[in-house]
């Protein structure tokens, strides 16, 4: 018996030591030691061993100061807290973990795990129970709120229509409190009567507190889809629009936020707001100073103006562009800047709003945010700047913007690169100062790299090439830009754009760039080595064939929005400049192009005639090419072009005729001389009659002397061929055989002509102007320079881009009950 007691005492000591050493927590053994086993379920040892004990309620109390230690099973000492912990049953610990509110005050279940940062199994299992208990409580409360609201709605509806303002105020306050709870709010949204009563109260209320409560009610109801519909059907939109004129800030906030929710999620709300003059009330609110309020207001303006031209004009009439630009310039709240930039982006495609935004300083204000950390803000600013850029070509103070844009050309984002190249292209159009600045900012190199990265992306390639075309002409650093394209290995990349498949807007821009590059003598050889001439000739043939399918001038050939006649003109003009180089000139002639150029002299497009006459003039410098030109029957169309109203065409035609007539008979040269004289004097019938009838000259000598004079003029680089008719007549008469006999008579007639011209001041001014122009044209021709072909600067096609088409822009957001209200502003 004594040994059995010792054995049991040892077992208890071992269990206690094991718990302290390994787990320091209840393993179930200690609690199992106090479990009663029935004899019926006992084994063969049941008669000799029975564990019996009483279950004790454990409480954890603070040990008395100076108290002694408890003993465990035969005198083994243990700490008081551990002793109380051991005495806890599993059921009590579960109750303490899952239902702590059932514990008596002062009692607490101590943790049984050694690491307090880890949850015990009981605590982990208690979490779902807590959630379930909370859900049940909420359900009970929800049901109570719904039942209370259902009973109160009829009475509150009556009170809201009471004649006593105090009663109405109290009722509005109660309804406002009910809408703050989800259950009662759902009951209210299904009661059109009470919603209509609230709208009426907000409309006729005299005191601001009642208006505030009514506006708050509608604001709370607008968080639910059914609430939005109830407000819309109850005529709440006109009432809310009137509240936008309230002097109370809270009423303003409730009204604009409710309208914002309606515009986002309620079909038909936009038109209702427009009809209620909502835009006229919202635009003046841009003068408020609260950034969050302004963010909601600007988003409402964007939702109302998107895709609606009338709304855009209303915003303009109420000073919207100035207010929006002021916000972009003076605020730094990112969400406000983003929503404002969205409104400006929509307005930037309106022809009326665009100049107003530019004049208000919109370009500069938007440009200052291109270095912001918000990518969505940068993207919106770039799109807006691109749309505005074609109206800002004369705008000053864009130096900083241009420098930032050149930096943006190095972006790997396709959208940013597309916008940056388009803005640079438009801002450098017909603006020599901007061209110089971009060139100095290393813009040529950045644009070449953009072209290389663009690959087959036409939205990037086209504006980049157009910008290069602008930079290589008509400004003080144009030659520097022309050389920079070559030095940065841009010529092969540019020529590559002429290859198949053809995207004609890119081809058109590339042809113009090649022409400008050819103006630099150092680029002639690299262009030839890059196969520019065969590419241009092939394009010319293809475009000319397309134009031949439509012989009528009313039936013009378009491909990708580009006239094929423009491609014909561009390729011919580029070949003309390339033909300045003797080697290039020979290569062009060897490709059997002269018949085509002669045929183009019959074109109904004046510019095509001009460039055709120009390249024939250049090719005629070679004797063999001059003979081919004459053999193709070019004399007839060139004779007609002598009488063209376009001085450039007449000048080139005269030069070609002169060159192909050097070896002709005197009769042919006489006929050409008559045509040339007529073309020179065509604006003065008196001079024409005097030159041909006043003195009967021998036509043979006249022809010989005229060509002798023309040849002398070319050798001496003189421009007297287009001098006044008096000087030319005197020289011709002095060289003729009958000069001595008629000299006195001609002199008298010359004096008479001078007197007549002196009496016609207007005619003299016109003749002088035309004479000077023709003299300059011929001087440039003889000096090796040529008239421009109109390729300098053209606004980038398809700009501005309408965000309705090119921006992934959604006006009406899809309603999601999990996100009944959008992200807080």
């Amino acid at each position: 018996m004594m040994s059995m007691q010792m054995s049991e005492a040892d077992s208890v000591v071992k269990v206690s030591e094991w718990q302290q050493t390994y787990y320091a927590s209840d393993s179930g053994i200690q609690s199992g030691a106090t479990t009663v086993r029935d004899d019926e379920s006992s084994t063969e040892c049941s008669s000799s061993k029975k564990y019996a004990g009483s279950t004790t309620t454990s409480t954890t109390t603070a040990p008395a100061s100076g108290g002694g230690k408890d003993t465990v099973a035969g005198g083994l000492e243990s700490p008081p807290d551990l002793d109380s912990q051991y005495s806890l049953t599993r059921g009590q610990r579960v109750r303490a973990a899952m239902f702590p509110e059932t514990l008596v005050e002062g009692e607490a279940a101590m943790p049984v795990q050694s690491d307090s940062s880890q949850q015990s199994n009981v605590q982990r299992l208690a979490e779902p129970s807590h959630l379930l208990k909370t859900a049940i409580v909420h359900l009970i409360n929800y049901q109570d709120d719904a039942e209370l609201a259902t009973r109160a709605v009829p009475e509150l509806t009556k009170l809201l229509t009471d004649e006593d303002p105090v009663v109405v105020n109290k009722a509005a306050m109660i309804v406002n409190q009910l809408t703050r709870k989800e259950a009662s709010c759902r009951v209210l949204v299904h009661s059109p009567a009470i919603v209509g009563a609230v709208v009426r109260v907000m409309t006729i209320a005299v005191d601001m507190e009642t208006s505030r409560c009514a506006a708050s009610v509608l604001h709370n109801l607008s968080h639910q889809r059914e609430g939005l519909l109830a407000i819309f059907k109850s005529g709440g939109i006109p009432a809310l629009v009137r509240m936008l004129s309230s002097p109370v800030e809270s009423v303003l906030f409730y009204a604009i936020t409710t309208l914002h929710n309606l515009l986002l999620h309620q079909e038909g709300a936009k038109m209702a707001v427009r009809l209620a003059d909502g835009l006229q009330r919202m635009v003046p609110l841009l003068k408020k100073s609260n950034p969050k309020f302004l963010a909601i207001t600007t988003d409402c303006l964007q939702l109302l103006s998107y895709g609606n031209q009338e709304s855009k004009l209303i915003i303009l009439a109420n000073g919207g562009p100035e207010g929006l630009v002021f916000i972009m310039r003076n605020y730094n709240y990112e969400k406000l800047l983003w929503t404002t930039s969205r409104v400006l982006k929509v307005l930037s495609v309106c022809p009326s709003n665009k100049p107003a935004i530019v004049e208000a300083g919109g370009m500069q204000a938007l440009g200052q945010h291109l270095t912001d950390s918000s990518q969505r803000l940068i993207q919106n600013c770039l799109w807006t700047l691109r749309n505005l850029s074609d109206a800002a070509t004369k705008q000053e103070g864009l130096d900083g913007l241009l420098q930032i844009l050149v930096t943006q050309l190095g972006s790997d984002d396709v959208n940013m690169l597309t916008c940056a190249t388009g803005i640079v292209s438009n801002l450098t159009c017909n603006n020599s100062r901007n061209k110089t600045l971009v060139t100095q900012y290393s813009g040529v190199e950045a644009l070449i790299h953009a072209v290389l990265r663009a690959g087959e992306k036409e939205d990037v390639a086209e504006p980049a090439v157009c910008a290069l075309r602008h930079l290589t002409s008509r400004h003080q650093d144009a030659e520097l830009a022309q050389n920079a394209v070559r030095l940065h290995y841009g010529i092969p990349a540019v020529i590559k754009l002429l290859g198949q498949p053809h995207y004609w807007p890119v081809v058109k821009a590339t042809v113009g760039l090649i022409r400008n590059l050819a103006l630099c003598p150092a680029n002639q050889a690299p262009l030839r080595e890059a196969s520019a001439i065969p590419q241009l000739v092939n394009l010319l043939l293809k475009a000319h064939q397309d134009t031949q399918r439509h012989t009528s001038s009313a039936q013009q050939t378009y491909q990708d929005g580009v006239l094929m006649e423009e491609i014909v003109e561009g390729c011919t003009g580029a070949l003309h400049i390339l033909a300045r180089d003797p080697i290039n000139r020979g290569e062009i002639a060897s490709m059997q192009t002269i018949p085509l150029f002669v045929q183009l002299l019959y074109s109904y497009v004046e510019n095509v005639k001009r460039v055709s006459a120009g390249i024939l003039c250049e090719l005629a410098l070679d004797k063999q090419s001059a003979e081919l030109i004459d053999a193709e029957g070019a004399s007839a169309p060139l004779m007609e072009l002598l009488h063209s109203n376009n001085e450039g065409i007449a000048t080139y035609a005269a030069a070609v005729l002169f060159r192909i007539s050097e070896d002709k008979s005197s009769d042919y040269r006489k006929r050409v001389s008559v045509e040339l004289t007529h073309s020179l004097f065509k604006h003065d019938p008196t001079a024409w009659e005097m030159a041909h009838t006043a003195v009967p000259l021998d036509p043979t000598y006249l022809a010989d002397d005229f060509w002798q004079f023309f040849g002398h003029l070319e050798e001496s680089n003189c421009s007297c061929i287009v001098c006044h008719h008096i000087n030319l007549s005197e020289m011709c008469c002095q060289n003729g055989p009958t000069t001595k006999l008629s000299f006195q008579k001609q002199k008298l007639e010359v004096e008479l002509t001078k007197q007549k011209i002196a009496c016609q001041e207007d005619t003299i001014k016109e003749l002088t102007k035309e004479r000077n122009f023709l003299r300059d044209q011929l001087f440039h021709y003889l000096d090796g320079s040529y008239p421009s072909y109109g390729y300098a600067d053209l606004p980038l096609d398809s700009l501005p881009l309408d965000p309705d088409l090119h921006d992934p822009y959604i006006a009406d957001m899809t309603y999601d009950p999990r996100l009944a209200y959008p992200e807080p502003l």
Side-chain angles (χ1 to χ4, degrees):
M1 188 68 178
M2 182 66 69
S3 62
M4 184 177 295
Q5 291 178 354
M6 291 295 294
S7 175
E8 291 179 359
D10 292 342
S11 64
V12 173
V13 172
K14 290 180 180 180
V15 168
S16 178
E17 291 178 350
W18 177 76
Q19 286 182 329
Q20 295 178 13
T21 305
Y22 295 98
Y23 297 100
S25 60
D26 186 9
S27 65
I29 297 177
Q30 191 66 31
S31 58
T34 62
T35 304
V36 178
R37 297 184 59 187
D38 295 333
D39 290 342
E40 296 176 357
S41 61
S42 61
T43 59
E44 57 182 1
C45 298
S46 61
S47 60
S48 61
K49 184 186 297 184
K50 180 182 296 184
Y51 296 93
S54 61
T55 302
T56 59
T57 302
S58 171
T59 59
T60 303
T61 58
S65 59
K69 299 180 180 179
D70 295 337
T71 60
V72 179
L76 189 65
E77 297 180 355
S78 65
D81 55 344
L82 278 180
D83 187 61
S84 62
Q85 174 182 321
Y86 295 152
S87 63
L88 276 175
T89 64
R90 180 178 300 170
Q92 290 171 328
R93 280 184 278 109
V94 169
R95 180 171 64 88
M98 297 177 61
F99 306 100
E101 66 275 7
T102 61
L103 295 177
V104 180
E105 184 178 357
E107 294 184 1
M110 293 194 62
V112 293
Q113 68 271 25
S114 59
D115 188 356
S116 59
S117 64
Q118 296 181 355
Q119 290 182 323
S120 66
N121 292 334
V122 173
Q123 290 173 328
R124 284 194 292 268
L125 291 173
E127 289 183 5
S129 175
H130 285 161
L131 295 176
L132 177 60
K133 181 180 67 174
T134 303
I136 293 173
V137 172
H138 287 175
L139 183 60
I140 294 172
N141 294 336
Y142 186 94
Q143 185 66 26
D144 292 343
D145 293 340
E147 292 176 357
L148 175 63
T150 303
R151 291 194 301 268
V153 162
E155 186 65 25
L156 287 172
T157 304
K158 291 181 181 180
L159 294 176
L160 287 172
T161 58
D162 196 274
E163 295 181 356
D164 188 348
V166 178
V167 174
V168 173
N169 175 261
K170 297 299 182 182
M173 293 176 63
I174 294 173
V175 175
N176 187 26
Q177 291 297 325
L178 289 175
T179 57
R180 296 180 184 275
K181 296 183 178 181
E182 183 180 358
S184 55
C185 184
R186 288 192 175 275
V187 173
L188 293 177
V189 299
H190 289 94
S191 176
I194 196 168
V195 177
V198 171
V199 171
R200 179 177 174 275
V201 167
M202 186 175 65
T203 304
I204 65 175
V206 178
D207 63 302
M208 293 296 101
E209 181 61 23
T210 302
S211 297
R212 187 193 64 80
C213 290
S216 177
V217 169
L218 296 183
H219 171 261
N220 294 333
L221 294 178
S222 69
H223 293 177
Q224 301 183 25
R225 183 70 172 181
E226 297 84 356
L228 292 172
L229 183 59
I231 295 171
F232 180 72
K233 289 184 175 181
S234 301
I237 287 181
L240 289 167
V241 169
R242 283 193 290 272
M243 289 297 103
L244 293 178
S245 301
S246 173
V248 182
E249 294 294 328
S250 58
V251 174
L252 272 178
F253 183 82
Y254 287 138
I256 195 67
T257 307
T258 306
L259 287 171
H260 185 239
N261 291 339
L262 285 163
L263 292 172
L264 281 173
H265 307 300
Q266 179 58 50
E267 184 179 358
K270 295 178 184 178
M271 183 56 65
V273 173
R274 295 187 187 111
L275 294 176
D277 294 338
L279 282 166
Q280 289 86 336
R281 302 287 183 97
M282 288 181 185
V283 174
L285 298 178
L286 295 175
K287 297 178 181 179
K288 297 291 182 180
S289 58
N290 188 323
K292 294 185 178 180
F293 176 83
L294 289 173
I296 299 174
T297 304
T298 51
D299 205 40
C300 289
L301 291 176
Q302 186 272 332
L303 292 169
L304 290 169
S305 60
Y306 181 79
N308 188 281
Q309 181 63 22
E310 183 180 355
S311 297
K312 297 174 186 178
L313 295 177
I314 293 174
I315 293 175
L316 173 63
N318 288 272
E322 293 80 4
L324 294 167
V325 171
F326 179 84
I327 291 174
M328 294 300 297
R329 186 185 293 116
N330 295 282
Y331 287 84
N332 55 13
Y333 179 45
E334 190 272 344
K335 186 158 289 186
L336 171 59
L337 295 173
W338 176 64
T339 54
T340 305
S341 65
R342 293 175 71 202
V343 186
L344 288 171
K345 180 170 64 172
V346 172
L347 297 180
S348 66
V349 300
C350 172
S352 301
N353 274 282
K354 183 181 299 187
I357 296 172
V358 172
E359 290 299 323
M363 298 293 292
Q364 295 85 343
L366 290 163
Q368 73 185 40
H369 297 290
L370 292 182
T371 56
D372 197 273
S373 58
S374 172
Q375 291 300 309
R376 66 176 184 175
L377 174 59
I378 293 175
Q379 188 62 66
N380 272 322
C381 289
L382 283 172
W383 275 110
T384 309
L385 286 168
R386 175 168 180 165
N387 292 341
L388 296 173
S389 58
D390 64 334
T393 55
K394 305 302 181 184
Q395 191 76 6
E396 297 181 355
L398 301 180
D399 302 17
L401 173 61
L402 289 170
Q403 190 168 7
I404 295 173
L405 288 171
V406 171
T407 304
Q408 295 281 3
L409 292 174
S411 173
D412 292 328
D413 185 276
V414 176
N415 291 327
M416 294 180 66
L417 188 59
T418 301
C419 293
T421 52
I423 300 167
V424 171
S425 176
N426 276 349
L427 292 182
T428 54
C429 178
N430 294 317
N431 191 312
S432 58
R433 186 174 186 277
N434 287 350
K435 294 178 187 180
T436 303
L437 287 173
V438 174
T439 303
Q440 293 174 353
Y441 294 150
S442 302
V444 174
E445 180 181 0
L447 288 167
I448 291 173
H449 290 165
V451 171
L452 292 172
R453 297 200 312 275
E456 298 180 356
K457 297 180 179 66
E458 296 88 359
D459 290 341
V460 176
E462 180 190 359
V465 175
C466 286
L468 286 171
R469 182 184 63 193
H470 299 163
L471 297 179
T472 52
S473 68
R474 296 202 309 173
H475 67 103
Q476 61 184 17
D477 290 336
E479 187 175 356
L480 179 64
Q482 294 164 5
N483 284 304
V485 174
R486 180 185 74 257
L487 296 176
H488 291 96
Y489 308 101
I491 289 179
V494 170
I495 302 301
K496 185 179 179 181
L497 296 175
L498 299 179
Q500 295 281 358
H502 297 313
Y503 180 65
W504 292 106
V506 175
V507 170
K508 176 183 173 182
T510 305
V511 169
L513 174 58
I514 292 173
R515 178 200 173 275
N516 290 344
L517 293 176
L519 293 171
C520 177
N523 287 335
Q524 290 275 359
L527 287 170
R528 179 175 65 251
E529 294 168 359
S531 302
I533 294 175
Q535 294 270 33
L536 289 171
V537 171
N538 290 335
L539 281 173
L540 175 59
L541 292 172
K542 178 176 175 54
H544 179 63
Q545 290 171 0
D546 290 339
T547 59
Q548 290 303 297
R549 300 193 188 105
H550 304 275
T551 56
S552 173
S553 60
Q555 296 178 334
Q556 296 178 321
T557 307
Y558 284 92
Q559 289 196 25
D560 299 326
V562 177
L563 272 173
M564 289 296 98
E565 287 80 359
E566 295 176 346
I567 301 298
V568 171
E569 176 193 347
C571 293
T572 307
L575 289 170
H576 176 197
I577 304 302
L578 286 168
R580 292 181 177 181
D581 182 81
I583 301 177
N584 291 343
R585 187 160 59 239
E587 183 174 345
I588 294 171
S590 67
M591 299 183 70
Q592 307 299 319
T593 55
I594 290 178
L596 176 58
F597 295 141
V598 172
Q599 185 178 357
L600 292 177
L601 294 174
Y602 295 95
S603 173
Y604 62 88
V605 181
E606 189 175 70
N607 288 338
V608 174
K609 295 178 182 178
R610 185 185 63 214
V611 294
S612 303
I615 191 169
L616 289 173
C617 177
E618 195 65 59
L619 294 176
L621 288 173
D622 295 336
K623 187 175 182 62
Q624 184 179 0
S625 297
E627 293 174 353
L628 288 174
I629 294 172
D630 186 39
E632 290 294 331
S635 299
L638 288 171
M639 285 290 188
E640 292 185 13
L641 295 179
L642 281 176
H643 307 287
S644 172
N645 293 325
N646 188 307
E647 290 81 0
I649 294 176
T651 302
Y652 282 129
V656 177
L657 285 171
F658 168 70
R659 288 176 177 172
I660 65 177
S661 302
E662 290 179 339
D663 298 332
K664 295 291 184 178
S665 64
S666 59
D667 291 338
Y668 180 85
R669 297 173 66 184
K670 178 190 69 174
R671 184 163 60 89
V672 173
S673 69
V674 172
E675 293 293 337
L676 286 171
T677 304
H678 174 68
S679 65
L680 290 171
F681 299 154
K682 62 185 175 181
H683 294 291
D684 191 346
T686 303
W688 171 254
E689 290 295 330
M690 184 198 70
H692 286 273
T693 63
V695 181
L697 303 179
D698 189 329
T700 304
Y701 285 99
L702 176 62
D704 293 340
D705 290 339
F706 186 88
W707 287 114
Q708 180 181 358
F709 166 68
F710 202 111
H712 169 73
L713 201 63
E714 186 177 30
E715 292 173 1
S716 62
N717 203 22
C718 178
S719 58
C720 295
I721 189 172
V722 289
C723 289
H724 197 274
H725 59 274
I726 298 173
N727 299 331
L728 182 59
S729 300
E730 288 178 353
M731 179 169 289
C732 293
C733 292
Q734 290 171 2
N735 291 329
T738 59
T739 299
K740 293 180 181 181
L741 298 176
S742 60
F743 181 72
Q744 293 296 332
K745 182 179 179 181
Q746 182 183 6
K747 189 173 182 180
L748 292 174
E749 291 179 349
V750 168
E751 291 298 329
L752 180 61
T753 303
K754 287 183 179 180
Q755 293 177 6
K756 290 181 180 179
I757 294 176
C759 296
Q760 300 175 358
E761 294 182 359
D762 294 339
T763 306
I764 291 174
K765 291 179 181 179
E766 187 65 27
L767 286 173
T768 303
K769 181 179 179 181
E770 183 178 1
R771 180 196 65 185
N772 292 337
F773 182 83
L774 288 172
R775 178 187 294 169
D776 293 339
Q777 292 287 329
L778 187 61
F779 176 78
H780 288 311
Y781 158 68
L782 296 173
D783 192 40
S785 182
Y786 296 83
S788 61
Y789 289 144
Y791 276 99
D793 293 338
L794 299 173
L796 185 62
D797 294 337
S798 75
L799 286 179
L801 293 180
D802 194 323
D804 294 15
L805 300 178
H806 296 274
D807 197 12
Y809 210 64
I810 302 175
D812 295 322
M813 297 173 60
T814 303
Y815 178 79
D816 186 349
R818 295 171 299 176
L819 300 173
Y821 190 57
E823 182 183 356
L825 291 170

